[in-house]
Amino acid sequence: MEVADVIHFLAQTTPFNQLSEANLGQFSSHINVVYCKARDKVQVNSDRLLIVRTGIFALYSDQQKLLTKLQAGDFYGYQQLLTRLTDNDTLRCEEDGLVYWLDAEAFHQCRYQYKNVDIFFQRLFSRRLHQYREQQQGSRFTLKISDVVQQRKVAIRPEQSVQDAAKLMSDHRVSSLLVEEQDKLVGIITDRDLRNRVLALGLPASTQVNHVMTRQPHSIDFHAYLYEAVQQMSQHNVHHLPVMAQGICCGMLSATDIIRSQQDHPVYLIGEIHRQPDVDGLERCSQQIATLAITLNKQQVPAHEAGHIITTITDALTQRLIYLAQQKLGEAPCIFSWLAFGSQARMDQSLNADQDNALLLEKEPTGAVAEYFSELAEFVCKGLAQCGVTLCPGNIMATNPELRLSLKGWSGRFARWIATPTPEALLKASIFFDLRVIDGSKGLFNALQQDILQRTAKAPLFLYHLAQAALQRTAPLGFFKNFILEADGKHKKGLDLKKRGISLLTDLVRVYALSAGITEVNTRRRLQQLAEKGVIDSKDSLNINDAFDLLAQLRWEKHQHDLQQGHDVTNLLDPMDVSGLARHQLKDSFAVINDAQSSLKHRFCRDM
C-alpha cells in the first residue's frame, strides 16, 4: 500500500480533510486496502469502517431490496460503530474497485479528537442512506439558549455600591447584572431591585449590592431549550436567568431576549407588516426576513415549509402595499385581482426570488381605469423592490401594460397560447400557467382559472408543445453518472439547482396538472393529486417528490450558507461543498428527473 496515496485521498474526502497532515499520516497506518472484483460479495459484518476508494458497490437490505449504491468517498459500517447493532445488509461490488478498511479503535479515536468528524457521522447516521427524509416535527421551532444569548456577561462585585450598579447598567444598556465573587456567581441585581429595594425604601446610593441582590438565583444551561427558560421564568415569576456553561456563568437571559427572539417568528413578522403605515415601515420589516431565514434553518424547518413561509411574507407585503396604494389613490374604479405567477404562485419562493405579477380587471383598462391601475401597479412593484423582492428582468410585472388586462383580455391571451401554441411562445409563457390570486376578487380569478383548465385539458397539441418546452433542458448528469458543471457570470462552476433541477420538475409536473384539470399550483400538492387521480403512478409521484424535496433542501442550505457568509444568494452549488452522501443523493435525484422526462415524452409527444 502506498501510504502517500491514502493520505492524498483522505485529504480530499469529507470529513477526514479536517485532520492535520501529521494525524492523517498516523490515521492512514490503521487502514487496510482491499481490491474487489465485479460481482464479489463484500464482507460487512465486522467492527470497522469501509471507505470506497474506487468502483461502485450496491447495498441491499435483508430483503434484497436495493438501498443505495456507494461510490468514491462513500462510507459503510459507521452505523454499527455508532450503535453496536448489526445490520443484515449485503454489499456487492458492481464495478472493480478499491476499498479502505479502517479499524474501530482508530475510527473512535478520530471521532473523539475531532468534533466535526463525530458530528459528520452522527448526521450521516441520522438520515436514511441516499434517501431524503423530512425533519421530524418535534425538532422545529426549538431554539436553544445558545441561539439567543451570546457568551458575554456584565458582572459586579457584591461589595460595590448600588450607584456603581446603576452606572454599570446604564453604560452597558442592560437591565440586570451578575454578582460574582472570585468568578463565582453569588447573586443577581436587576433594575427592578434598584427601584423596589433601594429607591422605594429610601436607601442611600452607597448601599452595597450584597444587601439588595437576589441570592442563589435560578439559572439555565447554555445548551438548554428556550422553552425551558420560559417555563422557569413563569414558574418562579422571574424575568432574568443567569446562563451557565460547564458550571461557569457566561451571560444573562432576560424576558426581553425571549420576546425579541419571537419577533423572528413568521406570525409576528406578518402581523407587523399589516400594521405598517408606509413603505419605509415595510422595508424595515423586510430586513428581518434574512434573520428569520437563519432562525428557520436553526429550527430545522424543511425547505418546502420555509418556502411557504417566505412566500406568505411576500404575500403580506403585497397585500399591505395594495392597501397603502388605495389609501393614496382612493377606491379602485372596478373589481380587480392581483395575480402572482411562478414561484410565488406555487408557494415555494426562495430568498433570491424576483417579482412575477399581473392585474386581472373587471373592466377594460381604458381611460381612468387604465390610469388608476397603472399608478397602483407602479406603487406596489416599486414598494416590493424596496422591500427586497427585485424587479423581474423579463418585465413580467403589473407595471407592464400588457399584463393589466380584463377577464376577456386574459382569457383571449390564454386561448391563443393554448389553441395555436409555438415552442418559442410557450418557453416564455409557461410561467403564466402557474397563477394564484394574492389580493382582490377571488371570484374573478376563479373564472379565469376555470376557463384556462377547460381549454388545456382538451388541447393535445398545446400539451405536446408544453411538454417539449419542459424537455428543452436536462439534468446535469453525464453518461457515466458524472456531474456536468456549468459556469455563472462570475466564472464559478457548479450545479444550478434551480434551472437544472427544481425547474425541470415543476415544468413536467405542470404539464400533467394542466392535462388533468387540477386547480392546485403547488408542485408537491399537484403530485399528490395526480397520484390520487391515477394520472401518475404513485411510486413515480413519490420519487419525483423526494427528488424535488432534496433539491429544494440543498438549495435552501446553500442560500443559508451564502447569507451567513455575506455572499450573494445564488442557486449554483459546487458538489464538492457537500458530503459524499449528498452528492450521491443528487445523482439519484437527477436520475429521477431523467426518468420522469422520458415518461413525459412518451406520454405527450409520442403521437405527434
Side-chain angles (χ1 to χ4, degrees), residues 16 137 169 346 350 360 403 484:
F16 301 119
Q137 290 282 348
M169 286 185 196
R346 294 190 301 269
S350 60
L360 167 63
L403 301 182
I484 301 173

Side-chain angles (χ1 to χ4, degrees), residues 40 49 71 87 145 150 163 202 226 230 248 325 333 389 451 468 484 515 528 551 600:
D40 280 353
L49 178 73
Q71 300 184 44
D87 290 329
I145 305 300
Q150 295 181 346
Q163 184 174 10
L226 197 59
V230 174
I248 300 174
V389 188
D451 181 67
Q468 288 284 21
I484 301 173
S515 74
Q528 182 180 354
L551 292 166
L600 184 78

Side-chain angles (χ1 to χ4, degrees), residues 182-328:
Q182 297 180 346
D183 293 327
K184 183 180 180 181
L185 181 70
V186 295
I188 64 170
I189 184 168
T190 69
D191 53 2
R192 188 166 64 169
D193 293 331
L194 295 178
R195 183 173 63 250
N196 296 341
R197 300 178 182 179
V198 179
L199 291 176
L201 300 178
L203 297 180
S206 58
T207 302
Q208 289 186 349
V209 167
N210 60 1
H211 292 156
V212 295
M213 70 183 186
T214 299
R215 298 176 182 274
Q216 298 180 332
H218 300 282
S219 62
I220 191 80
D221 187 80
F222 185 65
H223 298 291
Y225 287 105
L226 197 59
Y227 66 75
E228 294 176 87
V230 174
Q231 185 179 19
Q232 274 209 50
M233 287 183 176
S234 300
Q235 181 181 354
H236 302 295
N237 192 28
V238 296
H239 298 84
H240 298 82
L241 287 175
V243 179
M244 311 298 290
Q246 297 180 342
I248 300 174
C249 188
C250 63
M252 182 83 83
L253 176 73
S254 69
T256 303
D257 294 326
I258 294 175
I259 293 170
R260 190 180 296 117
S261 74
Q262 296 308 303
Q263 292 177 4
D264 293 335
H265 194 285
V267 173
Y268 178 91
L269 180 55
I270 290 167
E272 279 295 289
I273 286 170
H274 283 293
R275 285 191 287 270
Q276 296 308 307
D278 52 37
V279 181
D280 289 341
L282 292 176
E283 182 184 11
R284 286 191 293 273
C285 286
S286 67
Q287 290 169 355
Q288 298 179 45
I289 295 175
T291 305
L292 170 63
I294 292 171
T295 301
L296 294 174
N297 189 48
K298 287 179 179 178
Q299 295 167 340
Q300 301 179 13
V301 175
H304 68 88
E305 289 190 12
H308 191 106
I309 290 169
I310 290 170
T311 307
T312 303
I313 292 170
T314 304
D315 289 356
L317 289 168
T318 305
Q319 291 159 2
R320 190 60 181 175
L321 284 164
I322 291 171
Y323 172 83
L324 293 176
Q326 291 188 288
Q327 291 291 103
K328 176 183 177 182

